[in-house]
Amino acid sequence: MAERERYRDRDRDRDRDRDRRRPSDKKSFRFSRKRVCAFCVDRANTLDYKDVPLLRQYITGRGKIKPRRKTGLCARHQRRLSAAIKRARHIALLPYTGEQARGS
């Protein structure tokens, strides 16, 4: 019984905090245009692992592959991009870690 009351109090507090964060009496929303996949627009059928300058655009400074929400690619091309980056890393065209992570 006490457990149920504790959860009820937690939910009430969470709702109260959520109401504080909302702008009062303002209907504010951000309109953002849907990104289109850069590879779909160019009709690029192949995503080559040997095209290092292109692949570097989709890698962070620490050497991580950028997520799809940041790159704006479709799911198909994001999968192909990550496979190409992994291939390029495997044959040492791209580093596994970025310059910052190496501590040079």
Side-chain angles (χ1 to χ4, degrees):
M1 194 72 170
E3 196 171 326
R4 206 179 272 171
E5 291 173 12
R6 183 176 47 163
Y7 287 129
R8 189 177 334 131
D9 292 341
R10 183 192 65 189
D11 293 340
R12 185 185 65 232
D13 292 341
R14 186 184 63 214
D15 291 341
R16 188 180 328 132
D17 291 341
R18 185 182 301 142
D19 290 339
R20 282 185 202 148
R21 281 181 266 156
R22 286 190 189 139
S24 60
D25 296 317
K26 290 184 180 178
K27 292 187 177 181
S28 62
F29 61 92
R30 182 183 294 176
F31 177 75
S32 62
R33 185 176 288 183
K34 177 83 170 117
R35 285 189 188 169
V36 290
C37 175
F39 296 112
C40 288
V41 170
D42 294 339
R43 299 280 185 199
N45 291 333
T46 58
L47 193 61
D48 196 15
Y49 67 93
K50 293 174 273 187
D51 192 1
V52 176
L54 176 73
L55 297 179
R56 281 192 190 272
Q57 295 176 2
Y58 297 100
I59 294 179
T60 64
R62 298 187 63 89
K64 296 180 178 184
I65 300 172
K66 289 184 182 177
R68 191 175 152 219
R69 66 179 181 272
K70 299 271 181 156
T71 61
L73 298 179
C74 64
R76 174 189 292 170
H77 285 113
Q78 182 71 24
R79 283 192 301 269
R80 290 181 183 174
L81 175 78
S82 61
I85 290 172
K86 290 172 187 177
R87 277 192 190 124
R89 284 176 176 167
H90 187 71
I91 61 173
L93 293 176
L94 287 174
Y96 278 96
T97 59
E99 287 293 325
Q100 298 169 347
R102 284 190 214 136
S104 54

